[in-house]
Structures are given as structure tokens and as C-alpha cells.
Amino acid sequence: MSRFFYKSEAPAAVSIVVEFYTAKDELKAAMVKLGELIGGAIAPMHDITSHFAGGVKLSSSRELDVHWCRPDDYGFRKLRTAAKPPKGTPKEVRVAIRNEHERLLNLWRENCPQRLCSHHYWERLGINTGNLMLSGGIKFELNGWAYFNLGFPIDEIAHLEKEASGKPSYGWIDGAVEILPSEYEAARALKLKAKETENA
């Protein structure tokens, strides 16, 4: 599949990309807090349109099965929608189990961060998210420039013409200029190096 690379220093475009990564950092921080309350690391998950909190890294002990689904291949469990006491559990113990499960559900509901919709930011940039879902896209900011790796070409003139005719276009990013893959990859490498230094 062909890839198309762009950069923009337009303040609006750069600001939107920075906002997305700021929101992503806030989501990660909220997941750390949730994990501390629950008692295990939260799996950061994402799908085609959003980022969200996944399962919890907990022991594989069968004792936890009453409240938690069995661990997945990575050791993460999901909280059951309802407690599952073993057969033959005395009535008074079942009541205690249900109360504990309600506490866990409330803890999760009150502290689980909302999904972060990545498509919201692409839409603000002016990109047609239908094409994004089909072909993908990556964005990041470095030294006051926003960089983009898209699976489809964007063209300001074509966008304006289709917009005027009422036809859908791939979209357009304010101030975007097409760049060589090598320039994009060099910027990406610098961004990754900066992140490694920041996390060291």
C-alpha cells in the first residue's frame, strides 16, 4: 500500500496534534491511578477509533474468579458484570460477595477514564475519517511541526473542488506540504529518541 507523508507548521494543525498527545498522556495517568485503586496495572488498549482502559493485571488464582474473568494471554482480567459465587456458597457469604462486587463495579465506574476518540482530532484537522479507517494514518509533533503519514493523498485544490461540488474528499490539513519518506522517518526517529530520553 502506498504511503503519503506531509508536514505542517500551521498553528491550528500543530495545536490539534499536541492536544491529542496531551489527552493521551492524561489518559495514561488516569489508568495508573485506576490501577492503584484496583490493585493491578491497567492494560492500555486501542481500536480503530479510540484509546481506552482494558483489563487489569492480577493473579491467575481461582479465588479471584468470583469477581474477575479468567486472565487473557497477557495475564489481564476483566471485571465481571455480576459476581459468580461457587456453587454451594452459603447465603450470607453470597451477600458479602455481591456487596464486594458492587464496590468493585462502583470503583471502576467512578475512576475509569473516558475513551479518547482519536478520530475526533483527525476530523478537527480536516481529514475524512472514512478514508482513515480504510487506509490508516499517523500523526506526531516535533519542534513546532506536525508530521503525518497517511494511506491516501490529500490535495488542497481537489479538496476545495469536491467540497464546492458537495462530493466527499480525502480532506485537507491546514498548511500541509508533502515531504519525502526519508524526511518523515528522520523526524520520527528524533521523536522516538526524545520520548526514550524523557522516560529514562
Side-chain angles (χ1 to χ4, degrees):
M1 179 186 291
S2 297
R3 305 301 300 179
F4 302 86
F5 304 91
Y6 304 89
K7 68 179 181 179
S8 172
E9 64 174 344
V14 175
S15 176
I16 291 167
V17 175
V18 170
E19 276 183 49
F20 170 73
Y21 281 98
T22 298
K24 196 173 177 183
D25 287 341
E26 291 172 352
L27 175 67
K28 288 178 182 176
M31 285 193 285
V32 169
K33 180 182 176 183
L34 175 62
E36 290 170 351
L37 292 170
I38 294 291
I42 306 296
M45 304 289 286
H46 67 88
D47 56 24
I48 199 167
T49 62
S50 60
H51 298 260
F52 56 94
V56 186
K57 191 82 167 183
L58 296 170
S59 163
S60 61
S61 170
R62 290 283 180 183
E63 292 180 4
L64 297 180
D65 291 1
V66 65
H67 298 298
W68 301 90
C69 297
R70 292 301 296 161
D72 63 17
D73 293 340
Y74 302 97
F76 290 95
R77 289 175 175 256
K78 289 185 178 179
L79 187 61
R80 295 183 184 278
T81 54
K84 189 178 180 182
K87 290 181 180 179
T89 302
K91 184 178 179 180
E92 60 275 13
V93 176
R94 286 178 178 272
V95 171
I97 287 173
R98 283 198 294 269
N99 289 340
E100 171 60 11
H101 199 75
E102 190 62 28
R103 185 190 72 82
L104 288 170
L105 285 171
N106 287 333
L107 192 64
W108 186 271
R109 291 176 188 134
E110 292 168 6
N111 295 280
C112 183
Q114 289 187 344
R115 282 176 174 252
L116 172 61
C117 178
S118 56
H119 275 203
H120 167 70
Y121 294 87
W122 283 110
E123 287 171 350
R124 287 174 59 199
L125 284 163
I127 290 296
N128 182 319
T129 54
N131 292 103
L132 192 70
M133 290 179 76
L134 289 172
S135 306
I138 299 170
K139 60 187 178 298
F140 67 89
E141 180 274 338
L142 179 70
N143 299 329
W145 286 85
Y147 290 82
F148 305 92
N149 173 349
L150 302 172
F152 49 90
I154 56 172
D155 178 270
E156 184 176 20
I157 301 301
H159 169 65
L160 292 174
E161 288 176 348
K162 288 188 176 181
E163 193 175 55
S165 66
K167 296 177 182 178
S169 76
Y170 290 133
W172 174 252
I173 297 168
D174 189 28
V177 292
E178 190 166 7
I179 59 175
L180 293 171
S182 57
E183 183 178 351
Y184 173 86
E185 293 301 339
R188 183 74 172 162
L190 286 173
K191 183 68 175 181
L192 292 173
K193 187 175 181 180
K195 284 184 70 176
E196 288 174 4
T197 302
E198 184 181 308
N199 296 329

